[in-house]
Amino acid sequence: MTSIRINEARVTQILQDLVRIPSVNPNFEGGVPERDMADYVEAFLSRLGLASERREVRPDRPNVIGILPGISADAPGLLLEAHMDTVQIANMTIDPYGAEIRDGKLYGRGACDTKASLAAMLAALEWFVENGIKPPVPVYLAATVDEEVNFLGVLDVLESGHRLAAAVVGEPTGLHAVVAHKGVVRCMIETIGVSAHSSKPEEGVNAISGMMKVVHHIDRTMSERLQGAFHPLVGRPTLSVTEITGGVAPNTIPERCLIKIDRRTVPGEDSDQVWREIQEELTRFAQEDGTLKLIVHPPFVLDYAMDTSPDSEIVRLVTAKAAEKIGEVRTHGVPYGTDASKLTRVGIPSVVFGPGSIDQAHTKDEWVELKQVALAAEIIAGTMLAFGK
Ligand SMILES: [Zn+2]
């Protein structure tokens, strides 16, 4: 098979269409549901004659899953996943929805994170249909909602019932292969005291003084204990106290003090388990202290670390196909989270891959290099053609 050629002008056109559809996550200022993006993807698939499912994850916030049949119709499929939502547009210095092209770069919110990946995946599907070629196994294209906040979209893909052998998760990796990242647990801890007039502090219990003991224990004992752990691709797990509030007036013994903590997990650690251990340890710490009363609140953010073996078929294929186009390809870990950890957690080997640099994601003049988007489409198509053979 000669190498796959996908027209850069065509990929550019798709990306321009996508960037011109506002899809700021509704949790952010000026956000809108992803419906219009979903409509576009659905129409695109239907024009290609491919079956697709529209799954209302939340009202007006649908995932769209398109299906390209494989030669082995019943084999577990390859998932191509890219999120449709973007971050906010506040303070951007360019037209966020202009999709303007200058010097081979396309500018706009989502241009690199991650509409470029979605455009590359759609162009790859189109290439198969237009050339009348079937991949060895079914390919599912999932355009998902809500990656930037709660990962609701990818979690819904897991409920869709499709059997998945592996996944390519679109994010701006500069055409390198990301196989590991950290997870995170963030929660609030509250100490409860008894308020009193500060002229008679002995009649109260100071919640701030109590919290100082907690902070000290977290910084010294709990966080130092993590020093021993190390993952070769993402480094060490960490634990930090990141916010503190407490007290109501300068002459009142405070009855409440609150902190927020940020715990970064590494592959091999389970974020749910980590959270339970934090809760147990601090509860025990308070009991042993005798005077300390505290509540460890359930996490307000919890996400999983991910890693996929560099020897897995999907990583080997993406890396090999990318190397044909750009030479040296890195297989590495990154500090940011992605939809991929939800897939690897249930045993679906996943690689995070896409055009553009994470340095341009979420920026005031977000852009992507168009040449990379076309190369990404060819790498993804090459992967689809070889996976499961
Ligand atoms: Zn992204």
Side-chain angles (χ1 to χ4, degrees), residues 51-75:
S52 72
E53 299 163 10
R54 187 181 178 102
R55 301 173 56 87
E56 293 286 329
V57 179
R58 289 289 184 276
D60 268 351
R61 305 190 66 192
N63 280 346
V64 174
I65 305 179
I67 304 160
L68 177 69
I71 296 167
S72 314
D74 300 328

Side-chain angles (χ1 to χ4, degrees), residues 88-336:
Q88 68 287 338
I89 59 165
N91 304 321
M92 287 191 83
T93 55
I94 53 156
D95 178 356
Y97 309 122
E100 258 176 66
I101 297 168
R102 266 180 286 134
D103 304 327
K105 297 169 179 169
L106 187 145
Y107 289 80
R109 178 54 85 223
C112 99
D113 184 11
T114 214
K115 294 185 178 183
S117 294
L118 182 54
M121 289 171 180
L122 289 170
L125 279 189
E126 190 174 74
W127 182 88
F128 275 83
V129 173
E130 288 185 347
N131 290 283
I133 295 171
K134 269 192 176 186
V137 300
V139 174
Y140 301 95
L141 172 109
T144 57
V145 299
D146 198 47
E147 188 273 344
E148 297 290 359
V149 178
N150 285 314
F151 309 110
L152 296 174
V154 71
L155 293 171
D156 173 81
V157 171
L158 292 173
E159 311 257 285
S160 67
H162 297 299
R163 286 163 63 226
L164 301 171
V168 177
V169 172
E171 290 290 353
T173 67
L175 306 181
H176 295 281
V178 168
V179 296
H181 64 65
K182 288 186 181 181
V184 64
V185 178
R186 292 196 191 116
C187 71
M188 197 162 74
I189 298 160
E190 181 176 359
T191 48
I192 317 281
V194 176
S195 67
H197 195 283
S198 55
S199 63
K200 293 181 174 173
E202 68 281 3
E203 290 183 1
V205 176
N206 192 319
I208 292 179
S209 304
M211 186 59 88
M212 290 309 109
K213 294 190 242 178
V214 176
V215 170
H216 195 261
H217 183 70
I218 290 173
D219 274 354
R220 291 295 165 90
T221 311
M222 293 174 75
S223 135
E224 275 186 15
R225 195 188 299 139
L226 300 175
Q227 293 291 320
F230 183 79
H231 183 276
L233 295 183
V234 300
R236 293 180 204 292
T238 55
L239 174 61
S240 310
V241 178
T242 50
E243 280 186 55
I244 185 161
T245 49
V248 289
N251 60 350
T252 303
I253 297 301
E255 74 178 337
R256 284 175 85 233
C257 183
L258 290 158
I259 58 168
K260 287 181 186 161
I261 60 170
D262 176 294
R263 168 73 155 84
R264 298 297 164 127
T265 59
V266 299
E269 291 186 308
D270 180 69
S271 293
D272 291 310
Q273 171 77 13
V274 163
W275 138 247
R276 278 193 300 274
E277 284 171 8
I278 291 172
Q279 191 190 34
E280 281 164 19
E281 171 156 4
L282 289 176
T283 305
R284 200 168 50 240
F285 178 74
Q287 279 163 1
E288 284 165 7
D289 176 87
T291 58
L292 192 59
K293 258 200 201 154
L294 61 76
I295 304 169
V296 182
H297 291 274
F300 57 90
V301 172
L302 186 143
D303 193 21
Y304 307 101
M306 75 87 88
D307 71 339
T308 298
S309 166
D311 297 328
S312 61
E313 182 182 6
I314 190 64
V315 177
R316 280 190 290 106
L317 276 176
V318 167
T319 312
K321 300 294 165 193
E324 287 171 16
K325 305 285 179 188
I326 64 165
E328 192 124 339
V329 174
R330 275 184 293 137
T331 303
H332 67 135
V334 292
Y336 58 86

